[in-house]
C-alpha cells in the first residue's frame, strides 16, 4: 500500500544546485591554471592541491564538530573552491605551511566561525590571502619569474622539494631561483613597476625591463587571458552575472585612464593595469563570490565599480603592488549598506523605500 | 513614479509586436507536447461526484437540496443569497446521498462541506433558460445569468466572475488570458484550438457588459495553433487584437501580463481596473458564453491529465466533482512509475499536492499532474543560502526573496513585510532557481498565514478587551444602581418610621419580643426532650 | 592663568551649546509612547481568564508594570512571554506551570439539552459571550468566546465542554505534517 506524498510548490526545480555552481566555477579556472602552470611551473599545481586538501579537511573537521551532515556540506564544493582560489594566489614555490595556514584560516576563521557557507561576511580566499600577505610578506611576494626566464630549469621533484624543504634537489634556495640572468631579482610586473617608480624611474623605463614586453608582462598576460576565457564561459553559462566583472574592470580602466592621462610617466596605462596582476581573475572569479558580494543588480554595479576604483588607488599609492584582495575585502564590508540602499522598486509600489518610510511617518 | 504608457503608445507597440517585458522570470522545460496532441476527450461518467459547496473566493451559497433528493444535471444545489456567494450545480443527474464533510481540493487535505451525488448514469438535463438575445437585455440580467451559472475565474484564483463583470469604471483594455505559462498544462491551449468561436462569443458578451476600448487576447508564442484559430475567430472585429507574447514563466500572471502588454503596473493596494485593465481567462469566456447564450451552468471543464506516470496523457471534459481517481484511471496511471506516489493539482510551479485520490475536480482544476520518478524529483533538505541572489534575478515582482526568506524564517514578520512580503504572487520562480533548494515560497506562505492569524487574534483580543471593559462598567453600574436602590429603600423606611412615630417603633418592638419568646420556647423544648438517637 | 580660564570658558560654552541642542532635539523629536501598562496590556491575549491570579488581563498588566513575573499567562504561551521579555528588557522564562500549561485554542460549548438555565455561567463569563436568561437555555457566542474556562466550574449540571477550535482550509498554517495522507491504497487503481 503506497502513501501519497505532499509538499509545497514549486515541484519543479532547476537542476543546478550549489555544488554544481561551485564546480562549474572550478572548471572555468582550468584554462587559467594550465597557463599559470606552463609559465610558472608545477609549483602552481602543488599549491592548489595543498590548499584544496587543507580547506576540505578543515571544513570536514569543523562541520563534524558542529554535528552537521558532513557529506552534504563537503558536496557543496565551496571549501574546495575557496582552497583553489587561494592556491592560485600563492607564489608557486612558497613553503607548504603558507598554503596550510592560509587555507585553515580561510575555512575555520573566515567561514565557519561566522556560521559556515552563506554566513561569512568576507571572501574566505581573499581574507586568508591578506592575512598571509601581512604575516609573511617575504614568502608571499616571492613570485618566480616565468619559467622561460630562469636559468635553472626545475622539475616536479624540484618544485616539491622547494615547497616542503625550501631548497631544490640541487640545493638552490628560492632566493637564488628568483635571480634572473642579469643577476637582478625578478619580480611580478606590478611589483617591478612599483619598485622602479620608487627608485625614480619613469613608467616607460620600468616597462623596458626583460620581464616586460611593453605593457605585456611576460607570462602574466597569457595567464590573464586564459582566466578571461574561463570567466566568459561562466557568463555564458549564467553562473555569474555580467554586472560585477563589467563594472569592476570598467571602473579600474576609467580610474587608471584618468591618472594615465594626467601623467603618463608616473602612472601605468589602463592596458598595463588590465593585463597585469589579478584584475581579471578578481573580476570574474573572486569579486563574483555570491556569499560576500552585493545581491541586487544596482548593488552589484556599485560593488564592482568600487572594487575597480580601489584596486587602482591601492596599486598606485598603497604599499603593496597588487590590491584585488584588499579592495574586495574592503567592499565586502560595505555590502550590507549597498544592499540596503539599492533595493529594487517592487512591482506596483511607488518609491523603492516607501514601505520603510511609511512606518516612520506620524 | 514613472509615467505609464497611454492608450495610443500601447496600441502602437502592440501593432508593431514590440511588447514590454517584466523583470525576472524563468524558462522551465515545457513538456506541453505530452498532452496537447489529441482532442479534448469525452469520458465516462463517474459513479459518484463530490461537489464542494464553496469553490471560489467568497462565502458559501445557501444549500437548497437535502439528502435523498434526486437532482438533474445542471440543477442548482445552492443559491447565491450574498453577492460574494457563487452557486454550485449538480454536474450530472442522480441522488444526493450525503451532504457532509469531504476531503477538499486544497493543499491542507482538510475537509469541507460537500454534496455527494450518486450518479444514475442517465445524465438527464435540467431545464435551462437561454438568453440568445443578450444584446437586447440589461446588463443586470446578464450579470445575474453569469452569477446563476456559478462562474468563478477559471485560471486559478476563483474570483466570482459576476463581481468582476459588474464594473462601472472605464475600461481601456479587456485582456483575455490565453497565456497558460505553467509547464505541462494544455487545457486552455486545446480549448482555444477547438472552441475559439465560443470563446469569441464569451468575449462579445464581456464587451457588451464592459464596453472596453480594446480587447487584447494574449497567447504565448509556444501555442501557434491556438494563436491561429483565435486570430481567425476574432478577425471580423476591429478592436479585437490577438497578441503573441514571448514564452516566459510567469507571463500568465495577471500583473505580469498587464505589464507585458501595457507597461502599466497594478498598484500594490489596488486592482487592475484602477489602471484601466480587466482580465479574464479563456476558459471563463467559454463558460460565460455557455451561461448566457445556452443558459447552461458551469458543470464541466477541461482538465489536462499529464505526467510521465500516465500512459495516455490527454485533455478531458471533466464534470465538476469527478474524483481524481476516475481521471487517473482514464489516463492509465501507474503508481509504480513514481518512487513516491505524488499527485499534483495544477502545474508544477504553482499546483498543490493532493492527499487523497477522492478529491474532486473543482472549478479551478486545470490540470492533474503525475510525474514519474525522475521527472520532478522531490527536493532533498534545503542547504544553506549562499546569498547568490538568483532568486532576486528571477522574481517577476522585483522583490528580494532572499531577505524575505531570512525574515520569514526568523519569524521577524515586520521586517518581512517591509520587504513587501504580501506583494509576492507565489509563482515559485525563486524556489525554482535556488541552488540551495530552499523551499522559499513555502516560507512565505507560512509567514503570510502566520501574519494573518496574528492579525485575527489581535482583532479578537481587542474585541475581548472591549467586551471585558464594557462588562466591568456594566457590573459597576449595576452595583451602583443596587446601592442606590438600597439607599432609597432604607431612606423610605426611615421616613415611614418617622412619620408613624412611636406606633411603628412599638410594632417592631412587639415583633422582636414575639420572635424572642418563640426562640426561647423552642430552646426550652429542645432541652426538655431527650434525644431519641440515644 | 588666562589660558586656563579660556579653556574652561570654551568647554562650558560647548557644554551649553550641546546641552541646548540636545534639549531642543528631545522636545522637537519627542516620541509619544503609550504608558507601559497599555503596552503590556496590548501584548496579553485578553482571554480575561484569571489564570495568572489577577482578575483579568489589565490587572495583570499593571502587576507586570510593577515588577511581577512575565511567565504567568498560559493562554498567551511562549509567544507572549517572548514579546513581554522584549518589551520589558528582561530574560524570557519558561511558562510558570503553577498557573497552567499552554493548550490549543478552545471555545466553550453548552450541551443545550442538559442546560437548566441557571445563569451561573453568564455571570462568570468575563466578556459576556453567553446568551440566555433565567430558566432559558443558554448558548455561547463562539466568535466572542475567549476560551477562558471560567464558565465550566460554576455550572451545576456540568453541561459545558471546552472544545478545541477546528482547523479549516482557510486558517491552515501550511503545516504539511498535519496533512493526513496514506489512507488510500493506490494499487487498487
Amino acid at each position: 500500500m503506497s502513501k501519497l506524498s505532499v509538499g509545497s510548490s514549486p515541484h519543479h526545480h532547476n537542476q543546478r544546485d550549489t555544488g554544481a555552481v561551485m564546480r562549474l566555477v572550478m572548471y572555468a579556472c582550468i584554462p587559467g591554471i594550465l597557463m599559470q602552470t606552463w609559465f610558472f611551473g608545477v609549483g602552481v599545481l602543488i599549491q592548489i592541491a595543498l590548499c584544496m586538501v587543507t580547506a576540505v579537511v578543515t571544513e570536514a573537521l569543523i562541520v563534524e564538530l558542529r554535528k552537521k551532515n558532513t557529506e552534504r556540506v563537503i558536496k557543496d564544493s565551496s571549501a574546495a573552491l575557496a582552497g583553489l582560489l587561494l592556491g592560485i594566489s600563492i607564489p608557486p614555490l612558497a613553503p607548504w605551511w603558507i598554503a596550510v595556514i592560509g587555507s585553515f584560516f580561510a575555512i575555520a576563521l573566515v567561514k565557519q566561525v561566522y556560521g559556515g557557507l552563506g554566513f561569512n561576511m568576507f571572501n574566505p580566499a581573499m581574507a586568508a590571502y591578506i592575512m598571509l600577505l601581512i604575516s609573511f610578506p617575504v614568502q608571499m611576494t616571492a613570485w618566480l619569474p616565468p619559467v622561460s626566464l630562469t636559468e635553472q630549469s626545475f622539475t616536479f621533484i624540484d618544485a616539491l622539494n622547494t615547497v616542503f624543504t625550501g631548497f631544490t634537489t640541487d640545493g638552490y634556495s628560492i632566493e637564488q631561483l628568483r635571480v634572473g640572468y642579469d643577476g637582478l631579482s625578478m619580480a611580478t610586473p606590478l611589483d617591478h613597476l612599483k619598485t622602479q617608480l620608487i627608485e625614480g624611474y619613469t613608467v616607460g623605463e620600468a616597462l623596458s625591463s626583460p620581464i616586460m614586453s611593453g605593457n605585456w608582462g611576460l607570462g602574466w598576460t597569457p595567464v590573464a587571458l586564459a582566466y578571461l576565457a574561463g570567466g566568459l564561459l561562466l557568463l555564458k553559462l549564467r553562473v555569474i552575472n555580467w554586472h560585477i566583472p563589467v563594472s569592476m574592470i570598467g571602473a579600474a580602466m576609467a580610474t587608471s585612464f584618468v591618472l594615465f592621462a594626467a601623467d603618463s610617466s608616473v602612472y601605468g596605462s589602463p592596458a598595463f593595469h588590465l593585463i597585469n596582476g589579478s584584475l581579471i581573475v578578481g573580476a570574474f572569479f573572486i569579486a563574483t563570490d555570491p556569499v560576500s558580494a552585493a545581491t541586487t543588480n544596482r548593488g552589484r554595479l556599485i560593488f564592482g565599480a568600487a572594487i575597480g576604483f580601489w584596486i587602482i588607488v591601492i596599486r598606485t599609492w598603497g604599499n603593496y603592488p597588487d590590491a584585488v584582495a584588499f579592495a574586495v575585502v574592503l567592499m565586502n564590508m560595505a555590502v550590507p549598506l549597498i544592499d540596503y540602499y539599492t533595493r529594487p522598486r517592487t512591482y506596483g509600489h511607488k518609491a523603492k523605500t516607501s514601505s520603510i518610510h511609511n512606518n516612520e511617518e506620524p | 513614479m514613472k509615467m505609464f504608457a497611454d492608450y495610443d503608445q500601447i496600441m502602437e507597440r502592440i501593432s508593431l509586436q514590440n511588447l514590454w517585458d517584466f523583470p525576472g522570470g524563468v524558462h522551465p522545460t515545457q513538456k506541453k507536447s505530452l498532452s496537447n496532441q489529441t482532442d479534448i476527450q469525452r469520458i465516462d461518467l463517474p459513479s459518484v461526484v463530490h461537489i464542494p459547496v464553496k469553490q471560489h473566493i467568497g462565502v458559501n451559497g445557501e444549500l437548497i437540496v437535502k439528502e435523498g433528493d434526486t437532482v438533474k444535471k445542471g440543477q442548482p444545489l445552492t443559491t447565491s443569497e450574498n453577492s460574494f456567494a457563487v452557486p454550485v450545480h449538480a454536474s450530472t443527474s442522480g441522488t444526493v446521498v450525503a451532504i457532509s464533510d469531504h476531503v477538499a481540493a486544497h493543499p491542507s487535505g482538510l475537509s469541507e462541506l460537500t454534496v455527494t451525488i450518486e450518479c444514475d448514469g442517465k445524465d438527464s438535463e435540467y431545464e435551462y433558460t437561454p438568453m440568445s438575445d443578450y444584446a437586447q437585455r440589461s446588463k443586470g440580467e446578464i450579470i445575474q445569468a453569469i452569477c446563476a451559472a456559478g462562474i468563478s475565474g477559471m485560471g486559478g484564483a476563483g474570483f466570482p466572475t459576476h463581481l468582476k463583470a459588474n464594473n462601472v469604471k472605464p475600461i481601456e483594455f479587456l485582456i483575455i488570458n490565453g497565456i497558460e505559462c505553467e509547464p505541462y498544462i494544455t487545457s486552455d491551449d486545446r480549448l482555444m484550438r477547438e472552441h475559439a468561436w465560443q470563446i469569441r462569443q464569451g468575449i462579445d458578451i464581456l464587451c457588451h457588459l464592459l464596453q472596453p476600448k480594446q480587447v487584447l487576447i494574449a497567447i504565448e508564442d509556444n501555442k501557434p495553433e491556438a494563436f491561429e484559430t483565435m486570430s481567425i475567430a476574432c478577425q471580423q472585429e476591429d478592436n479585437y487584437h490577438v497578441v503573441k507574447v514571448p514564452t516566459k514563466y510567469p507571463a500568465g500572471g495577471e500583473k505580469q501580463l498587464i505589464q507585458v502588454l501595457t507597461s502599466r503596473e497594478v498598484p500594490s493596494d489596488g486592482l487592475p481596473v484602477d489602471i484601466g485593465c480587466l482580465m479574464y481567462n479563456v476558459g471563463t469566456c467559454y463558460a460565460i458564453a455557455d451561461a448566457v447564450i445556452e443558459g447552461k451552468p458551469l458543470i464541466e471543464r477541461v482538465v489536462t491529465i499529464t505526467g510521465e506516470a500516465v500512459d495516455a496523457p490527454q485533455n478531458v471534459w471533466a464534470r465538476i466533482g469527478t474524483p481524481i481517481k476516475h481521471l487517473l484511471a482514464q489516463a492509465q496511471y501507474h503508481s509504480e512509475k513514481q518512487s513516491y506516489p505524488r499527485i499534483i493539482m495544477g502545474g508544477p510551479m504553482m499546483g498543490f499536492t493532493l492527499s487523497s485520490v477522492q478529491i474532486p475536480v473543482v472549478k479551478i482544476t486545470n490540470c492533474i499532474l503525475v510525474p514519474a520518478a525522475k521527472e520532478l524529483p522531490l527536493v532533498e533538505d534545503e542547504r544553506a543560502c549562499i546569498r547568490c541572489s538568483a532568486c532576486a534575478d528571477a522574481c517577476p515582482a522585483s522583490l528580494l526573496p532572499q531577505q524575505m526568506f531570512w525574515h520569514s524564517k526568523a519569524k521577524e514578520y515586520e521586517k518581512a513585510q517591509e520587504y513587501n512580503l504580501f506583494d509576492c504572487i507565489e509563482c515559485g520562480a525563486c524556489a525554482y532557481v535556488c541552488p540551495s533548494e530552499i523551499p522559499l515560497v513555502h516560507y512565505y506562505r507560512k509567514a503570510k498565514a502566520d501574519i494573518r492569524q496574528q492579525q485575527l487574534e489581535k482583532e479578537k483580543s481587542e474585541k475581548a478587551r472591549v467586551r471585558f471593559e464594557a462588562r466591568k462598567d456594566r457590573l459597576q453600574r449595576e452595583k451602583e444602581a443596587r446601592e442606590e436602590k438600597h439607599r432609597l429603600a432604607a431612606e423610605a423606611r426611615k421616613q415611614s418610621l418617622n412619620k408613624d412615630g412611636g406606633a411603628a417603633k412599638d410594632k417592631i418592638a412587639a415583633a422582636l419580643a414575639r420572635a424572642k419568646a418563640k426562640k426561647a420556647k423552642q430552646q426550652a423544648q429542645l432541652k426538655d426532650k431527650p434525644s431519641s438517637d440515644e | 592663568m588666562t589660558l586656563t580660564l579660556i579653556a574652561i570658558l570654551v568647554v562650558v560654552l560647548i557644554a551649553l551649546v550641546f546641552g541646548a541642542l540636545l534639549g531642543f532635539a528631545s522636545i522637537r523629536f519627542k516620541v509619544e509612547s503609550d504608558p507601559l501598562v497599555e503596552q503590556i496590556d496590548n501584548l496579553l491575549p485578553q482571554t480575561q481568564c484569571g489564570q495568572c491570579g489577577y482578575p483579568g488581563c489589565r490587572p495583570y498588566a499593571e502587576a507586570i508594570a510593577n515588577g511581577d513575573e512575565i511567565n504567568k499567562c498560559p493562554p498567551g504561551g511562549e509567544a507572549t512571554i517572548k514579546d513581554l521579555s522584549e518589551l520589558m528588557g528582561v530574560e524570557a522564562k519558561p511558562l510558570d506551570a503553577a498557573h497552567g500549561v499552554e493548550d490549543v485554542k478552545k471555545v466553550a460549548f453548552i450541551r443545550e439539552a442538559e442546560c437548566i438555565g441557571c445563569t451561573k455561567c453568564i455571570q462568570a463569563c468575563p466578556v459576556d459571550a453567553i446568551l440566555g436568561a433565567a430558566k432559558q437555555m443558554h448558548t455561547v457566542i463562539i466568535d466572542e468566546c475567549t476560551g477562558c474556562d471560567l464558565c465550566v466550574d460554576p455550572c451545576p449540571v456540568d453541561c459545558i465542554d471546552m472544545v478545541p477550535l477546528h482547523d479549516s482550509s482557510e486558517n491552515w498554517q501550511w503545516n504539511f505534517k498535519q496533512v493526513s495522507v496514506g489512507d488510500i491504497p493506490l494499487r487498487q487503481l
Side-chain angles (χ1 to χ4, degrees):
Chain A
M1 191 182 286
S2 348
K3 297 181 175 187
L4 286 171
S5 52
V6 292
S8 207
S9 72
H11 312 285
H12 208 358
H13 196 271
N14 188 348
Q15 289 311 302
R16 192 187 278 169
D17 64 10
T18 310
V21 169
M22 299 285 174
R23 282 188 290 276
L24 274 175
V25 176
M26 288 198 269
Y27 298 147
C29 283
I30 289 174
I33 292 171
L34 288 179
M35 203 59 93
Q36 212 172 330
T37 311
W38 175 262
F39 282 102
F40 297 95
V42 282
V44 175
L45 296 180
I46 297 171
Q47 297 294 350
I48 291 174
L50 269 175
C51 285
M52 285 176 74
V53 169
T54 316
V56 172
V57 169
T58 311
E59 175 119 316
L61 278 176
I62 294 178
V63 169
E64 196 66 38
L65 282 178
R66 291 179 63 198
K67 300 199 175 19
K68 302 223 169 174
N69 184 342
T70 312
E71 193 194 335
R72 235 176 118 73
V73 170
I74 296 304
K75 267 190 180 164
D76 72 27
S77 307
S78 59
L81 178 60
L84 184 138
L85 291 177
L86 183 62
I88 60 174
S89 325
I90 293 178
L93 295 182
W96 61 273
W97 46 266
I98 289 273
V100 170
I101 293 177
S103 309
F104 178 80
F105 179 85
I107 300 300
L109 288 165
V110 187
K111 190 174 166 193
Q112 289 295 342
V113 162
Y114 281 85
L117 182 65
F119 296 96
N120 48 311
M121 184 173 180
F122 300 108
N123 184 320
M126 287 304 102
Y129 176 80
I130 290 174
M131 183 279 290
L132 292 173
L133 190 63
I134 293 171
S135 312
F136 313 106
V138 176
Q139 288 85 346
M140 284 301 287
T141 51
W143 279 89
L144 279 191
V147 179
S148 56
L149 280 183
T150 49
E151 293 205 308
Q152 296 82 10
S153 62
F154 50 87
T155 59
F156 178 72
I157 304 295
D158 275 331
L160 214 55
N161 251 312
T162 318
V163 169
F164 285 97
T165 65
F167 297 96
T168 64
T169 39
D170 301 332
Y172 289 108
S173 77
I174 193 159
E175 288 311 310
Q176 286 165 309
L177 284 174
R178 290 186 72 203
V179 176
Y181 65 93
D182 57 354
L184 282 171
S185 190
M186 302 297 268
T188 66
L190 286 170
D191 217 353
H192 175 74
L193 178 69
K194 180 143 238 128
T195 327
Q196 298 270 297
L197 285 173
I198 291 168
E199 287 170 10
Y201 295 96
T202 65
V203 171
E205 286 162 340
L207 293 189
S208 59
S209 143
I211 64 157
M212 305 294 295
S213 44
N215 273 331
W216 319 107
L218 199 57
W220 294 88
T221 305
V223 171
L225 291 177
Y227 279 115
L228 178 65
L232 292 176
L233 182 72
L234 288 183
L235 270 183
K236 178 91 178 57
L237 294 173
R238 293 171 180 270
V239 175
I240 57 174
N241 290 60
W242 59 267
H243 303 80
I244 290 177
V246 167
S247 67
M248 182 167 153
I249 293 173
M253 293 300 90
T255 314
S256 56
F257 178 77
V258 169
L259 293 175
F260 185 68
D263 189 346
S264 63
S265 66
V266 189
Y267 304 113
S269 69
F272 172 80
H273 280 293
L274 177 64
I275 46 148
N276 289 302
S278 46
L279 181 65
I280 287 179
V281 182
F284 285 95
F285 293 89
I286 290 167
T288 50
D289 164 39
V291 178
S292 54
T295 56
T296 60
N297 280 345
R298 280 193 308 140
R300 286 173 184 146
L301 287 175
I302 296 171
F303 177 77
I307 292 177
F309 172 76
W310 285 120
I311 287 174
I312 301 301
V313 168
I314 300 176
R315 275 185 186 179
T316 308
W317 289 290
N319 274 330
Y320 290 91
D322 205 352
V324 171
F326 290 110
V328 167
V329 168
L330 201 63
M331 289 315 294
N332 283 164
M333 285 191 261
V335 161
L337 191 74
I338 295 175
D339 279 355
Y340 187 82
Y341 283 105
T342 55
R343 290 164 40 173
R345 183 182 63 83
T346 307
Y347 180 103
H349 282 261
K350 287 198 175 91
K352 60 181 177 292
T353 51
S354 61
S355 58
I356 288 183
H357 293 304
N358 278 348
N359 297 344
E360 288 164 7
E361 275 166 20
Chain B
M1 196 176 191
K2 89 175 169 193
M3 285 296 291
F4 291 136
D6 66 21
Y7 179 79
D8 295 330
Q9 282 170 299
I10 292 168
M11 285 318 297
E12 192 190 326
R13 287 188 69 158
I14 283 175
S15 63
L16 294 172
Q17 264 298 311
N18 177 20
L19 302 175
W20 282 271
D21 193 10
F22 63 91
V26 290
H27 295 274
T29 41
Q30 295 284 321
K31 299 274 187 93
K32 290 197 187 250
S33 55
L34 273 181
S35 56
N36 70 359
Q37 303 300 315
T38 50
D39 288 352
I40 307 170
Q41 304 291 311
R42 286 274 163 200
I43 58 171
D44 296 341
L45 285 174
S47 54
V48 284
V49 288
H50 305 283
I51 299 171
V53 166
K54 189 178 147 229
Q55 303 180 25
H56 63 278
I57 296 175
V59 294
N60 285 359
E62 204 65 32
L63 268 170
I64 49 170
V65 289
K66 55 186 190 302
E67 283 180 24
D69 284 3
T70 47
V71 289
K72 287 188 168 175
K73 171 182 166 187
Q75 183 177 339
L77 304 175
T78 63
T79 55
S80 168
E81 302 287 334
N82 177 307
S83 66
F84 281 93
V86 174
V88 293
H89 302 78
S91 52
T92 182
S93 58
T95 318
V96 177
V97 289
I99 298 177
S100 58
D101 281 349
H102 180 84
V103 57
H106 189 272
S108 66
L110 291 167
S111 298
E112 277 173 6
L113 188 61
T114 302
V115 179
T116 301
I117 298 169
E118 204 171 76
C119 311
D120 58 14
K122 293 182 201 130
D123 211 22
S124 50
E125 222 154 331
Y126 194 65
E127 216 164 289
Y128 305 138
T129 44
M131 200 195 280
S132 46
D133 59 339
Y134 70 86
Q136 273 80 50
R137 303 296 187 93
S138 74
K139 285 184 186 178
E141 261 179 288
I142 299 171
I143 287 169
Q144 184 51 46
I146 292 173
C147 177
I151 304 176
S152 53
M154 290 166 78
F159 188 79
T161 301
H162 66 275
L163 289 178
K164 211 156 146 186
N166 194 5
N167 168 63
V168 288
K169 292 188 182 167
I171 303 290
E172 281 186 322
F173 297 101
L174 172 63
I175 301 170
I176 305 302
N177 189 341
I179 297 286
E180 200 164 58
C181 58
E182 276 243 25
Y184 287 95
I185 308 178
T186 57
S187 56
D188 287 349
D189 182 13
R190 284 311 313 187
L191 190 73
M192 286 189 285
R193 287 198 212 182
E194 294 171 36
H195 301 279
W197 181 247
Q198 183 166 344
I199 294 169
R200 149 91 207 271
Q201 285 178 311
I203 300 171
D204 290 345
I205 296 167
L206 284 171
C207 282
H208 175 66
L209 287 174
L210 298 163
Q211 303 293 329
K213 271 168 115 171
Q214 180 72 34
V215 178
L216 300 176
I217 298 139
I219 298 170
E220 242 179 12
D221 60 10
N222 60 359
K223 292 182 258 301
E225 299 89 349
F227 180 81
E228 198 59 36
T229 51
M230 285 306 293
S231 300
I232 293 168
C234 297
Q235 63 192 357
Q236 296 145 332
E237 298 286 339
D238 287 340
N239 66 337
Y240 286 20
H241 204 116
V242 186
V243 190
K244 215 179 248 185
V245 174
T247 300
K248 178 164 91 167
Y249 179 84
E254 184 175 62
K255 293 174 165 183
Q256 280 62 43
L257 184 54
I258 290 177
Q259 191 172 18
V260 167
L261 293 175
T262 69
S263 84
R264 298 178 186 178
E265 291 181 15
V266 182
S268 164
D269 50 357
L271 291 168
V273 72
D274 297 338
I275 50 167
C277 299
L278 211 51
M279 191 179 295
Y280 289 90
N281 173 266
V282 287
T284 314
C285 296
Y286 180 90
I288 289 173
D290 255 353
V292 175
I293 298 168
E294 311 271 343
K296 209 173 128 190
L298 176 55
I299 52 166
E300 63 179 0
R301 65 157 297 147
V302 185
V303 177
T304 306
I305 315 165
T306 186
E308 286 169 12
V310 292
D311 282 350
Q314 58 188 294
N315 280 287
V316 298
W317 281 107
R319 298 291 167 89
I320 303 295
T322 307
I324 298 308
K325 191 176 171 175
H326 186 73
L327 295 185
L328 291 174
Q330 164 75 20
Q332 300 159 39
Y333 166 56
H334 294 287
S335 66
E336 61 275 11
K337 284 191 179 174
Q338 297 183 301
S339 46
Y340 301 92
R342 186 166 46 142
I343 303 169
I344 298 164
M345 186 178 278
M349 300 297 283
M350 290 184 78
F352 54 89
T353 47
L354 299 184
S355 55
S356 162
V357 285
Q358 300 301 335
I359 289 176
V361 168
V362 292
K363 291 171 187 174
I364 59 163
T365 306
N366 49 8
C367 181
I368 300 298
L369 171 60
V370 271
K374 295 250 167 79
E375 203 177 353
L376 299 174
L378 283 178
V379 169
E380 291 176 65
D381 288 343
E382 65 184 68
R383 273 185 287 263
C385 166
I386 57 165
R387 291 174 38 85
C388 65
S389 267
C391 49
D393 296 339
C395 181
S398 300
L399 293 163
L400 292 175
Q402 190 201 118
Q403 278 78 351
M404 293 189 338
F405 157 67
W406 292 121
H407 294 310
S408 298
K409 192 175 183 183
K411 299 199 188 298
E412 296 165 343
Y413 294 142
E414 274 179 28
K415 292 248 181 67
Q417 280 172 280
E418 266 180 32
Y419 281 95
N420 301 324
L421 176 66
F422 279 91
D423 284 288
C424 169
I425 58 168
E426 300 179 14
C427 69
C430 52
Y432 172 77
V433 296
C434 179
S436 296
E437 298 183 330
I438 302 171
L440 292 161
V441 184
H442 186 59
Y443 280 103
Y444 308 149
R445 288 191 179 120
K446 271 182 108 89
K448 285 177 178 176
D450 250 10
I451 293 170
R452 291 200 186 104
Q453 188 68 24
Q454 282 178 5
Q455 273 165 355
L456 271 180
E457 269 171 29
K458 184 118 194 114
E459 277 164 29
K460 194 167 178 190
S461 81
E462 195 51 44
K463 210 159 81 177
R465 189 207 331 275
V466 169
R467 291 182 74 88
F468 178 65
E469 299 290 331
R471 179 172 186 271
K472 240 168 54 181
D473 286 352
R474 178 174 61 84
L475 290 180
Q476 184 66 26
R477 269 198 319 277
E478 280 173 3
K479 196 175 150 204
E480 276 165 15
R482 224 172 19 246
E483 277 167 5
E484 181 68 9
K485 215 167 100 190
H486 287 165
R487 196 179 56 80
L488 288 175
E491 243 165 48
R493 265 200 311 278
K494 225 185 212 167
Q495 269 174 6
S496 70
L497 267 180
N498 290 342
K499 215 195 281 168
D500 294 355
K505 266 186 192 160
D506 286 348
K507 265 186 199 163
I508 292 174
L512 276 174
R514 267 202 310 280
K516 242 183 199 164
K518 198 174 175 186
K519 209 171 177 186
K521 199 173 157 194
Q522 275 176 347
Q523 269 171 351
Q525 274 179 349
L526 268 175
K527 268 182 200 159
D528 294 345
K529 200 164 86 185
S531 174
S532 55
D533 294 344
E534 279 176 299
Chain C
M1 184 62 199
T2 41
L3 214 67
T4 327
L5 267 178
I6 288 172
I8 291 172
L9 257 171
V10 166
V11 170
V12 167
L13 218 74
I14 290 175
L16 276 177
V17 168
F18 279 97
L21 236 153
L22 279 174
F24 170 74
S26 75
I27 294 163
R28 174 72 181 75
F29 301 107
K30 189 171 175 130
V31 182
E32 289 293 342
S33 65
D34 287 344
L36 188 58
V37 175
E38 288 291 332
Q39 290 183 47
I40 300 169
D41 197 26
N42 278 333
L43 296 179
L44 294 174
Q46 304 299 328
T47 45
Q48 319 295 353
C49 62
Q51 290 183 67
C52 51
Y54 296 94
C57 293
R58 191 164 178 100
Y60 182 41
E62 282 160 12
I64 292 176
N66 290 327
D68 198 355
E69 294 291 346
I70 58 170
N71 58 349
K72 296 185 176 177
C73 179
E78 299 297 330
T80 300
I81 294 174
K82 188 175 152 245
D83 291 347
L84 285 172
S85 74
E86 272 166 24
L87 176 69
M88 302 298 290
V90 295
E91 202 145 317
K93 297 174 189 169
L95 188 66
D96 187 350
H99 294 275
V101 286
E102 198 172 348
D103 202 355
V104 292
K105 289 248 174 289
K106 289 179 173 174
V107 288
F109 174 76
I110 299 176
R111 289 194 301 277
E112 292 169 354
E114 294 165 40
C115 175
I116 54 168
C118 69
T119 76
K120 287 213 165 85
C121 55
I122 297 182
Q123 287 160 34
C125 180
V127 291
D128 284 345
I130 304 179
L131 275 180
K135 307 263 169 75
Q136 306 284 314
M137 180 209 25
H138 303 339
T139 193
V140 177
I141 313 171
I142 291 179
D143 282 349
E144 309 291 352
C145 177
T146 63
C148 68
D149 238 15
L150 292 179
C151 52
V152 175
D153 280 344
C155 181
V157 292
D158 278 342
C159 73
I160 304 182
D161 291 323
M162 296 305 292
V163 291
L165 271 178
H166 277 295
D167 272 343
S168 75
S169 48
E170 309 234 313
N171 65 13
W172 186 55
Q173 301 282 303
W174 286 91
N175 187 350
F176 281 106
K177 292 202 177 98
Q178 290 172 342
V179 178
S180 59
V181 280
D183 54 333
I184 310 115
L186 274 173
R187 302 275 178 198
Q188 287 180 2
L189 275 168

